[in-house]
Coordinates of all heavy atoms in Angstrom, one line a residue:
M1 N 0.8 -1.1 0.0 CA 0.0 0.0 -0.1 C 0.9 1.3 0.0 O 1.9 1.2 0.6 CB -0.9 -0.1 1.2 CG -1.5 1.2 1.7 SD -2.4 1.1 3.1 CE -1.6 -0.2 4.0
L2 N 0.5 2.3 -0.7 CA 1.3 3.5 -0.8 C 0.3 4.7 -0.6 O -0.8 4.6 -1.3 CB 1.9 3.6 -2.2 CG 2.6 5.0 -2.5 CD1 3.8 5.2 -1.6 CD2 2.9 5.0 -3.9
V3 N 0.6 5.6 0.3 CA -0.3 6.7 0.5 C 0.6 8.0 0.3 O 1.6 8.0 0.8 CB -0.8 6.7 2.0 CG1 -1.7 8.0 2.1 CG2 -1.6 5.5 2.2
V4 N 0.1 8.9 -0.5 CA 0.8 10.1 -0.9 C -0.1 11.3 -0.7 O -1.3 11.2 -0.8 CB 1.4 10.2 -2.2 CG1 2.5 9.1 -2.3 CG2 0.4 10.0 -3.3
T5 N 0.4 12.5 -0.5 CA -0.3 13.7 -0.5 C -0.1 14.4 -1.8 O 1.1 14.6 -2.1 CB 0.0 14.6 0.7 OG1 -0.3 13.8 1.8 CG2 -0.8 15.9 0.8
G6 N -1.0 14.9 -2.5 CA -0.8 15.6 -3.7 C -1.2 14.7 -4.9 O -1.8 13.7 -4.8
G7 N -0.7 15.0 -6.1 CA -1.0 14.3 -7.4 C -0.2 13.1 -7.5 O 0.7 12.7 -6.8
A8 N -0.7 12.3 -8.4 CA 0.0 11.0 -8.7 C -0.3 10.6 -10.1 O -1.3 10.9 -10.6 CB -0.5 9.9 -7.7
N9 N 0.6 9.6 -10.6 CA 0.3 8.9 -11.8 C 0.0 7.5 -11.6 O 0.7 6.8 -10.8 CB 1.6 9.0 -12.7 CG 1.9 10.5 -13.1 OD1 1.1 11.2 -13.4 ND2 3.3 10.8 -13.2
S10 N -1.0 7.1 -12.3 CA -1.5 5.7 -12.1 C -2.2 5.2 -13.3 O -2.9 5.9 -14.0 CB -2.3 5.6 -10.8 OG -2.7 4.3 -10.6
T11 N -2.0 3.9 -13.5 CA -3.0 3.3 -14.6 C -4.3 2.9 -13.9 O -4.3 2.1 -13.0 CB -2.3 2.0 -15.2 OG1 -1.0 2.4 -15.7 CG2 -3.2 1.4 -16.2
I12 N -5.3 3.4 -14.4 CA -6.7 3.3 -13.8 C -7.7 2.9 -14.8 O -7.5 3.3 -16.0 CB -7.1 4.4 -12.9 CG1 -7.0 5.7 -13.7 CG2 -6.3 4.5 -11.7 CD1 -7.5 7.0 -12.9
S13 N -8.8 2.4 -14.5 CA -9.8 2.0 -15.5 C -10.9 3.2 -15.5 O -10.8 4.1 -14.8 CB -10.5 0.7 -15.1 OG -11.3 0.8 -14.0
S14 N -12.0 2.9 -16.3 CA -13.0 3.8 -16.3 C -14.1 3.5 -15.3 O -15.2 4.2 -15.2 CB -13.7 3.8 -17.7 OG -14.1 2.5 -18.0
Q15 N -13.9 2.5 -14.5 CA -14.9 2.1 -13.4 C -14.6 3.0 -12.2 O -13.5 2.9 -11.6 CB -14.7 0.6 -13.0 CG -15.1 -0.2 -14.3 CD -14.8 -1.7 -14.0 OE1 -13.8 -2.1 -13.5 NE2 -15.8 -2.5 -14.4
A16 N -15.6 3.8 -11.8 CA -15.4 4.8 -10.7 C -16.6 4.9 -10.0 O -17.7 4.6 -10.4 CB -14.9 6.1 -11.3
E17 N -16.5 5.4 -8.7 CA -17.6 5.8 -7.9 C -17.2 6.9 -6.9 O -16.1 7.0 -6.5 CB -18.1 4.6 -7.1 CG -17.1 4.0 -6.1 CD -17.7 2.7 -5.4 OE1 -18.9 2.6 -5.2 OE2 -16.9 1.8 -5.2
S18 N -18.2 7.6 -6.4 CA -18.0 8.5 -5.3 C -18.8 8.0 -4.0 O -20.0 7.6 -4.3 CB -18.5 9.8 -5.6 OG -17.7 10.5 -6.5
I19 N -18.2 7.9 -2.9 CA -18.8 7.3 -1.7 C -18.8 8.3 -0.6 O -17.7 8.8 -0.3 CB -18.1 6.1 -1.2 CG1 -18.1 4.9 -2.4 CG2 -18.7 5.4 0.1 CD1 -17.1 3.8 -2.1
T20 N -19.9 8.5 0.1 CA -20.0 9.4 1.2 C -19.5 8.5 2.4 O -19.9 7.4 2.6 CB -21.5 9.8 1.4 OG1 -21.9 10.7 0.3 CG2 -21.6 10.7 2.8
V21 N -18.7 9.1 3.2 CA -18.1 8.6 4.4 C -18.7 9.2 5.6 O -18.4 10.4 5.8 CB -16.5 8.6 4.4 CG1 -15.9 8.0 5.7 CG2 -16.0 7.9 3.1
S22 N -19.4 8.6 6.4 CA -20.1 9.2 7.5 C -19.8 8.5 8.8 O -18.6 8.1 9.0 CB -21.6 9.1 7.3 OG -22.3 9.8 8.2
T23 N -20.7 8.3 9.8 CA -20.4 7.8 11.1 C -20.3 6.3 11.3 O -19.9 5.8 12.3 CB -21.5 8.4 12.0 OG1 -22.8 7.9 11.6 CG2 -21.4 9.8 12.2
T24 N -20.6 5.5 10.2 CA -20.5 4.1 10.1 C -19.5 3.8 9.1 O -19.6 4.3 7.9 CB -21.9 3.5 9.8 OG1 -22.8 3.8 10.7 CG2 -21.8 1.9 9.8
A25 N -18.7 2.9 9.4 CA -17.6 2.5 8.4 C -18.2 2.0 7.2 O -19.2 1.2 7.3 CB -16.6 1.5 9.1
V26 N -17.6 2.3 6.1 CA -18.1 1.9 4.8 C -17.0 1.4 3.9 O -15.9 1.9 3.9 CB -18.9 3.1 4.0 CG1 -18.0 4.2 3.8 CG2 -19.6 2.7 2.7
G27 N -17.3 0.3 3.1 CA -16.4 -0.3 2.2 C -16.6 0.2 0.8 O -17.5 1.0 0.5
L28 N -15.9 -0.3 -0.1 CA -15.9 0.0 -1.5 C -16.9 -1.1 -2.2 O -17.1 -2.2 -1.7 CB -14.5 -0.1 -2.1 CG -13.5 0.7 -1.6 CD1 -12.1 0.4 -2.3 CD2 -13.7 2.2 -1.7
T29 N -17.5 -0.6 -3.2 CA -18.4 -1.5 -4.1 C -17.6 -1.8 -5.4 O -18.1 -1.5 -6.5 CB -19.7 -1.0 -4.3 OG1 -19.7 0.4 -4.9 CG2 -20.5 -0.9 -3.1
A30 N -16.5 -2.4 -5.3 CA -15.6 -2.7 -6.3 C -16.1 -3.8 -7.3 O -16.7 -4.7 -6.9 CB -14.2 -3.2 -5.8
P31 N -15.8 -3.6 -8.6 CA -16.3 -4.6 -9.5 C -15.3 -5.9 -9.3 O -14.3 -5.8 -8.8 CB -16.0 -4.0 -10.9 CG -15.0 -2.9 -10.6 CD -15.3 -2.3 -9.3
A32 N -15.9 -7.0 -9.7 CA -15.2 -8.3 -9.5 C -13.8 -8.3 -10.1 O -12.9 -9.1 -9.6 CB -16.1 -9.4 -10.0
T33 N -13.6 -7.5 -11.1 CA -12.3 -7.5 -11.8 C -11.2 -6.5 -11.2 O -10.1 -6.5 -11.7 CB -12.5 -7.2 -13.2 OG1 -13.2 -5.9 -13.4 CG2 -13.3 -8.2 -13.9
A34 N -11.7 -5.8 -10.2 CA -10.8 -4.8 -9.6 C -9.6 -5.4 -8.8 O -9.9 -6.0 -7.8 CB -11.5 -3.7 -8.8
N35 N -8.4 -5.1 -9.1 CA -7.3 -5.6 -8.5 C -6.4 -4.4 -7.9 O -5.4 -4.7 -7.2 CB -6.4 -6.4 -9.4 CG -7.0 -7.7 -9.8 OD1 -7.5 -8.4 -8.9 ND2 -7.0 -8.0 -11.1
S36 N -6.9 -3.2 -8.0 CA -6.3 -2.1 -7.5 C -7.3 -0.9 -7.5 O -8.4 -0.9 -8.1 CB -5.0 -1.6 -8.3 OG -5.4 -1.2 -9.5
A37 N -7.0 0.1 -6.7 CA -7.8 1.3 -6.7 C -7.0 2.6 -6.3 O -6.0 2.5 -5.5 CB -8.9 1.2 -5.7
V38 N -7.3 3.7 -6.9 CA -6.8 5.0 -6.4 C -8.0 5.7 -5.8 O -9.1 5.8 -6.4 CB -6.1 5.7 -7.6 CG1 -7.1 6.0 -8.7 CG2 -5.5 7.0 -7.1
I39 N -7.8 6.3 -4.7 CA -8.8 7.0 -3.9 C -8.3 8.4 -3.5 O -7.2 8.6 -3.0 CB -9.1 6.2 -2.7 CG1 -9.6 4.8 -2.9 CG2 -10.1 7.0 -1.7 CD1 -9.6 3.8 -1.6
Q40 N -9.2 9.4 -3.8 CA -8.9 10.7 -3.2 C -10.0 11.1 -2.1 O -11.1 11.0 -2.3 CB -9.0 11.8 -4.4 CG -8.5 13.1 -3.8 CD -8.7 14.2 -4.8 OE1 -9.6 14.3 -5.6 NE2 -7.7 15.2 -4.8
V41 N -9.4 11.6 -1.1 CA -10.3 12.0 0.1 C -10.7 13.5 -0.2 O -9.9 14.3 -0.7 CB -9.5 12.0 1.4 CG1 -10.4 12.4 2.6 CG2 -9.0 10.6 1.6
Q42 N -12.0 13.7 0.0 CA -12.5 15.0 -0.4 C -13.4 15.6 0.8 O -14.1 14.8 1.5 CB -13.4 15.0 -1.6 CG -12.6 14.5 -2.8 CD -13.5 14.3 -4.1 OE1 -14.6 14.2 -4.1 NE2 -12.8 14.2 -5.2
D43 N -13.2 16.8 1.0 CA -14.0 17.6 2.0 C -13.7 17.5 3.5 O -13.5 18.5 4.2 CB -15.6 17.2 1.9 CG -16.0 17.4 0.5 OD1 -15.7 18.4 -0.2 OD2 -17.0 16.7 0.1
Q44 N -13.4 16.3 4.0 CA -13.1 16.1 5.4 C -12.2 15.0 5.6 O -11.9 14.1 4.7 CB -14.4 15.8 6.2 CG -15.4 17.0 6.2 CD -15.0 18.2 6.8 OE1 -14.3 18.2 7.9 NE2 -15.4 19.4 6.4
D45 N -11.6 14.8 6.9 CA -10.6 13.9 7.2 C -11.3 12.5 7.4 O -12.5 12.5 7.8 CB -9.9 14.2 8.5 CG -9.1 15.4 8.4 OD1 -8.9 15.9 7.3 OD2 -8.5 16.0 9.4
I46 N -10.6 11.4 7.1 CA -11.1 10.2 7.3 C -10.2 9.2 8.1 O -9.0 9.6 8.2 CB -11.5 9.3 6.0 CG1 -10.4 9.1 5.1 CG2 -12.6 10.2 5.2 CD1 -10.5 8.2 4.0
R47 N -10.6 8.1 8.6 CA -9.7 7.0 9.1 C -10.0 5.8 8.4 O -11.3 5.6 8.0 CB -10.1 6.7 10.5 CG -9.7 7.9 11.5 CD -8.2 7.9 11.9 NE -7.9 8.9 12.7 CZ -6.7 9.0 13.4 NH1 -6.0 8.0 13.4 NH2 -6.6 10.0 14.2
W48 N -9.1 5.0 8.1 CA -9.3 3.8 7.3 C -8.4 2.6 7.5 O -7.3 2.9 8.1 CB -9.3 4.0 5.8 CG -8.0 4.6 5.3 CD1 -7.5 5.9 5.3 CD2 -6.9 3.7 4.7 NE1 -6.2 5.9 4.9 CE2 -5.9 4.8 4.4 CE3 -6.8 2.5 4.3 CZ2 -4.7 4.3 3.8 CZ3 -5.7 2.1 3.7 CH2 -4.6 3.0 3.5
W49 N -8.8 1.4 7.2 CA -7.9 0.2 7.2 C -8.2 -0.5 5.9 O -9.3 -0.3 5.3 CB -8.3 -0.7 8.3 CG -8.0 -0.3 9.7 CD1 -9.0 -0.1 10.7 CD2 -6.9 0.0 10.4 NE1 -8.5 0.3 11.9 CE2 -7.1 0.3 11.7 CE3 -5.5 0.0 9.9 CZ2 -6.1 0.7 12.6 CZ3 -4.5 0.3 10.8 CH2 -4.8 0.6 12.1
S50 N -7.2 -1.3 5.4 CA -7.4 -2.1 4.1 C -7.2 -3.6 4.4 O -7.0 -4.3 3.6 CB -6.4 -1.7 3.1 OG -5.1 -1.8 3.7
D51 N -7.3 -4.0 5.7 CA -7.2 -5.4 6.1 C -8.4 -6.1 6.6 O -8.4 -7.0 7.3 CB -6.1 -5.5 7.2 CG -6.4 -4.8 8.4 OD1 -7.4 -4.2 8.6 OD2 -5.5 -5.0 9.4
A52 N -9.5 -5.5 6.3 CA -10.8 -6.0 6.7 C -11.2 -5.6 8.1 O -12.2 -6.0 8.6 CB -11.1 -7.5 6.5
S53 N -10.3 -4.9 8.8 CA -10.6 -4.3 10.1 C -11.6 -3.1 10.0 O -11.6 -2.5 9.0 CB -9.4 -3.9 10.9 OG -8.4 -4.9 11.0
T54 N -12.3 -2.8 11.1 CA -13.2 -1.8 11.1 C -12.6 -0.5 11.8 O -12.2 -0.6 12.9 CB -14.5 -2.1 11.9 OG1 -15.0 -3.3 11.2 CG2 -15.5 -1.0 11.7
P55 N -12.4 0.6 10.9 CA -11.8 1.8 11.6 C -12.9 2.6 12.5 O -14.1 2.2 12.3 CB -11.6 2.7 10.4 CG -12.6 2.2 9.3 CD -12.7 0.8 9.5
T56 N -12.3 3.3 13.3 CA -13.3 4.2 14.2 C -12.8 5.7 14.0 O -11.8 5.9 13.4 CB -13.2 3.9 15.7 OG1 -11.9 4.3 16.2 CG2 -13.5 2.4 15.9
A57 N -13.5 6.6 14.5 CA -13.1 8.0 14.4 C -11.8 8.3 15.1 O -11.2 9.4 14.7 CB -14.2 8.8 15.0
T58 N -11.2 7.3 15.8 CA -10.0 7.6 16.4 C -8.9 6.5 16.1 O -7.7 6.6 16.5 CB -10.1 7.7 17.9 OG1 -10.7 6.4 18.5 CG2 -11.0 8.9 18.4
A59 N -9.3 5.5 15.3 CA -8.4 4.4 15.1 C -8.4 4.0 13.6 O -9.4 3.9 13.0 CB -8.7 3.1 15.8
G60 N -7.3 4.0 13.0 CA -7.1 3.7 11.6 C -6.0 4.7 11.0 O -5.6 5.7 11.6
F61 N -5.7 4.5 9.8 CA -4.8 5.4 9.0 C -5.6 6.7 8.9 O -6.8 6.8 8.5 CB -4.4 4.9 7.7 CG -3.5 3.7 7.8 CD1 -3.9 2.5 7.3 CD2 -2.2 3.9 8.3 CE1 -3.1 1.4 7.4 CE2 -1.3 2.7 8.4 CZ -1.7 1.5 7.9
H62 N -5.0 7.9 9.1 CA -5.5 9.1 8.9 C -5.2 9.8 7.5 O -4.1 9.7 7.2 CB -5.0 10.1 10.0 CG -5.5 11.6 9.8 ND1 -4.7 12.4 9.1 CD2 -6.6 12.2 10.1 CE1 -5.2 13.6 9.1 NE2 -6.4 13.5 9.6
N63 N -6.3 10.2 6.8 CA -5.9 11.0 5.6 C -6.9 12.2 5.6 O -8.1 12.1 6.0 CB -6.2 10.1 4.4 CG -5.1 9.2 4.1 OD1 -5.0 8.1 4.6 ND2 -4.1 9.7 3.4
G64 N -6.4 13.3 5.1 CA -7.2 14.6 5.0 C -7.6 14.9 3.6 O -7.3 14.2 2.6
D65 N -8.4 15.9 3.5 CA -8.9 16.4 2.3 C -7.8 16.6 1.2 O -6.8 17.3 1.5 CB -9.7 17.8 2.5 CG -10.2 18.4 1.3 OD1 -10.6 17.6 0.4 OD2 -10.3 19.7 1.2
G66 N -8.0 16.1 0.1 CA -7.0 16.1 -1.0 C -6.0 15.0 -1.0 O -5.2 14.9 -2.0
D67 N -5.9 14.3 0.0 CA -4.9 13.2 0.1 C -5.3 11.9 -0.8 O -6.5 11.8 -1.2 CB -4.8 12.6 1.5 CG -4.0 13.5 2.5 OD1 -3.5 14.5 2.0 OD2 -4.0 13.1 3.7
W68 N -4.3 11.2 -1.3 CA -4.6 10.1 -2.2 C -4.2 8.8 -1.4 O -3.2 8.8 -0.6 CB -3.7 10.2 -3.4 CG -4.0 11.3 -4.3 CD1 -3.5 12.6 -4.2 CD2 -4.8 11.2 -5.4 NE1 -4.1 13.4 -5.2 CE2 -4.9 12.6 -5.9 CE3 -5.6 10.3 -6.0 CZ2 -5.7 12.9 -7.0 CZ3 -6.4 10.6 -7.1 CH2 -6.3 12.0 -7.7
I69 N -5.0 7.7 -1.6 CA -4.7 6.5 -1.2 C -4.6 5.5 -2.3 O -5.5 5.5 -3.2 CB -5.8 6.0 -0.2 CG1 -6.0 7.0 1.0 CG2 -5.6 4.6 0.3 CD1 -7.3 6.7 1.8
F70 N -3.6 4.7 -2.4 CA -3.4 3.6 -3.4 C -3.5 2.3 -2.9 O -2.7 2.0 -1.9 CB -2.1 3.9 -4.2 CG -2.1 5.2 -4.9 CD1 -1.6 6.3 -4.3 CD2 -2.4 5.3 -6.2 CE1 -1.5 7.6 -4.9 CE2 -2.4 6.6 -6.9 CZ -1.9 7.6 -6.2
L71 N -4.4 1.5 -3.4 CA -4.6 0.1 -3.0 C -4.0 -0.7 -4.1 O -4.5 -0.6 -5.2 CB -6.0 -0.2 -2.7 CG -6.7 0.7 -1.6 CD1 -8.2 0.3 -1.5 CD2 -6.0 0.7 -0.3
N72 N -3.1 -1.7 -3.8 CA -2.4 -2.3 -4.8 C -2.7 -3.8 -5.0 O -1.9 -4.5 -5.7 CB -0.9 -2.2 -4.6 CG -0.4 -0.7 -4.7 OD1 -0.8 0.0 -5.6 ND2 0.3 -0.3 -3.7
S73 N -3.7 -4.3 -4.4 CA -4.1 -5.8 -4.5 C -5.6 -5.8 -4.3 O -6.3 -5.0 -3.8 CB -3.4 -6.6 -3.5 OG -3.9 -6.3 -2.2
R74 N -6.1 -7.0 -4.8 CA -7.5 -7.3 -4.6 C -7.9 -7.4 -3.1 O -8.9 -6.9 -2.7 CB -7.9 -8.6 -5.3 CG -9.3 -9.0 -5.2 CD -10.2 -8.2 -6.1 NE -11.7 -8.7 -5.8 CZ -12.6 -8.0 -6.2 NH1 -12.4 -6.8 -6.7 NH2 -13.9 -8.4 -5.9
A75 N -7.0 -8.0 -2.3 CA -7.3 -8.1 -0.9 C -7.4 -6.7 -0.3 O -8.3 -6.5 0.6 CB -6.1 -8.9 -0.3
E76 N -6.6 -5.8 -0.6 CA -6.7 -4.4 -0.1 C -8.0 -3.7 -0.5 O -8.6 -3.0 0.3 CB -5.5 -3.5 -0.4 CG -4.3 -3.9 0.2 CD -3.2 -3.0 -0.1 OE1 -3.0 -2.5 -1.2 OE2 -2.3 -2.8 0.8
V77 N -8.4 -3.9 -1.8 CA -9.5 -3.3 -2.3 C -10.8 -3.8 -1.5 O -11.7 -3.1 -1.1 CB -9.7 -3.5 -3.8 CG1 -11.1 -3.1 -4.3 CG2 -8.6 -2.8 -4.6
V78 N -10.9 -5.2 -1.4 CA -12.0 -5.8 -0.7 C -12.0 -5.6 0.8 O -13.0 -5.4 1.3 CB -11.9 -7.4 -1.0 CG1 -13.0 -8.1 -0.2 CG2 -12.2 -7.6 -2.5
G79 N -10.7 -5.4 1.3 CA -10.7 -5.2 2.8 C -10.8 -3.7 3.2 O -10.7 -3.4 4.4
F80 N -10.9 -2.8 2.2 CA -10.8 -1.3 2.6 C -12.1 -1.0 3.2 O -13.3 -1.3 2.8 CB -10.7 -0.5 1.3 CG -10.6 0.9 1.6 CD1 -9.5 1.7 1.9 CD2 -11.8 1.8 1.5 CE1 -9.5 3.1 2.1 CE2 -11.8 3.1 1.7 CZ -10.7 3.7 2.1
S81 N -12.1 -0.2 4.3 CA -13.3 0.5 4.8 C -12.8 1.9 5.5 O -11.7 1.9 5.9 CB -14.0 -0.3 5.8 OG -13.2 -0.7 7.0
A82 N -13.7 2.8 5.5 CA -13.3 4.2 6.0 C -14.6 4.7 6.8 O -15.7 4.3 6.6 CB -13.1 5.1 4.8
I83 N -14.2 5.6 7.7 CA -15.2 6.3 8.5 C -14.7 7.7 8.6 O -13.5 8.1 8.5 CB -15.3 5.6 9.9 CG1 -16.5 6.2 10.6 CG2 -14.0 5.8 10.7 CD1 -16.9 5.3 11.9
R84 N -15.6 8.7 8.7 CA -15.2 10.1 9.0 C -14.6 10.2 10.3 O -15.0 9.6 11.2 CB -16.4 11.0 8.7 CG -17.4 11.0 9.9 CD -18.5 12.0 9.6 NE -19.3 12.2 10.9 CZ -20.5 12.7 10.9 NH1 -21.1 13.1 9.7 NH2 -21.2 13.0 12.0
E85 N -13.7 11.3 10.4 CA -13.0 11.5 11.7 C -13.7 12.6 12.5 O -13.8 12.4 13.8 CB -11.5 11.9 11.4 CG -10.8 12.0 12.6 CD -9.2 12.3 12.3 OE1 -8.6 11.4 11.7 OE2 -8.8 13.4 12.5
D86 N -14.3 13.5 11.9 CA -14.9 14.6 12.6 C -16.4 14.7 12.5 O -17.0 13.7 12.0 CB -14.3 15.9 12.2 CG -12.8 15.9 12.5 OD1 -12.4 15.5 13.6 OD2 -12.0 16.4 11.6
G87 N -17.0 15.8 12.6 CA -18.5 15.9 12.6 C -19.2 16.1 11.4 O -20.3 16.2 11.2
T88 N -18.4 16.1 10.3 CA -18.9 16.4 9.0 C -18.6 15.3 8.0 O -17.5 14.7 8.0 CB -18.4 17.7 8.4 OG1 -18.7 18.8 9.3 CG2 -19.1 18.1 7.0
D89 N -19.5 14.8 7.2 CA -19.3 13.8 6.3 C -18.1 14.1 5.2 O -17.9 15.2 4.8 CB -20.5 13.4 5.4 CG -21.5 12.7 6.3 OD1 -21.3 12.3 7.4 OD2 -22.7 12.4 5.7
A90 N -17.4 13.0 4.8 CA -16.4 13.2 3.8 C -16.9 12.4 2.5 O -17.9 11.8 2.6 CB -15.1 12.7 4.2
V91 N -16.2 12.7 1.3 CA -16.5 11.8 0.1 C -15.2 11.3 -0.2 O -14.1 12.0 -0.1 CB -17.0 12.8 -0.9 CG1 -17.2 12.0 -2.2 CG2 -18.4 13.4 -0.5
I92 N -15.2 10.1 -0.7 CA -14.0 9.5 -1.3 C -14.3 9.2 -2.8 O -15.4 8.7 -3.1 CB -13.5 8.3 -0.7 CG1 -14.5 7.2 -0.4 CG2 -12.8 8.6 0.7 CD1 -14.1 5.9 0.1
A93 N -13.5 9.7 -3.6 CA -13.6 9.5 -5.1 C -12.7 8.2 -5.5 O -11.5 8.2 -5.1 CB -13.2 10.6 -5.9
V94 N -13.2 7.2 -6.0 CA -12.5 6.0 -6.2 C -12.5 5.6 -7.7 O -13.6 5.7 -8.4 CB -13.2 4.8 -5.5 CG1 -12.4 3.5 -5.6 CG2 -13.5 5.2 -4.0
Q95 N -11.3 5.2 -8.2 CA -11.3 4.6 -9.5 C -10.5 3.3 -9.4 O -9.5 3.2 -8.8 CB -10.6 5.6 -10.5 CG -10.8 5.1 -12.0 CD -10.9 6.2 -12.9 OE1 -10.6 7.3 -12.6 NE2 -11.5 6.0 -14.0
Y96 N -11.1 2.3 -10.1 CA -10.5 0.9 -10.0 C -9.6 0.6 -11.1 O -9.8 1.0 -12.2 CB -11.7 0.0 -9.9 CG -12.5 0.1 -8.8 CD1 -13.7 0.9 -8.8 CD2 -12.1 -0.2 -7.4 CE1 -14.5 1.1 -7.8 CE2 -12.9 0.0 -6.3 CZ -14.1 0.7 -6.5 OH -14.9 0.9 -5.3
G97 N -8.6 -0.4 -10.8 CA -7.8 -0.8 -12.0 C -7.8 -2.3 -11.9 O -8.4 -2.9 -11.1

């Protein structure tokens, strides 16, 4: 897994979605063929795990508005879940590879 702040180059498909991240951890609705994903956090901070653990508002990797998350395997894509960190919902923009 690689997490960076700012822009990035990646080979991605045309399969994409935007997901609202609120007070209950939410996973991705990845297509069966997705073996990777690039995710941009938008609007608010989130906490997340990619090992099928459930994040909380205080536990998990922290990413803020504009940060990028790269998932490099099917296991990470399927195991990803996120929750908002603060009092306002976030959005994650996801594109699958």
Side-chain angles (χ1 to χ4, degrees):
M1 160 186 28
L2 170 69
V3 178
V4 297
T5 302
N9 294 320
S10 178
T11 301
I12 53 178
S13 74
S14 61
Q15 297 172 314
E17 64 179 329
S18 291
I19 300 170
T20 299
V21 180
S22 193
T23 58
T24 301
V26 62
L28 304 176
T29 53
T33 58
N35 293 312
S36 63
V38 60
I39 301 168
Q40 185 184 41
V41 180
Q42 300 173 345
D43 303 325
Q44 298 294 327
D45 295 351
I46 66 168
R47 295 278 182 160
W48 62 276
W49 294 117
S50 62
D51 64 355
S53 298
T54 303
T56 69
T58 58
F61 294 115
H62 169 267
N63 283 90
D65 181 27
D67 287 353
W68 293 87
I69 302 166
F70 295 90
L71 305 176
N72 296 313
S73 71
R74 177 78 184 161
E76 287 183 330
V77 171
V78 172
F80 180 89
S81 63
I83 193 168
R84 75 179 193 200
E85 187 175 289
D86 299 318
T88 304
D89 289 353
V91 173
I92 53 174
V94 185
Q95 192 142 22
Y96 298 101

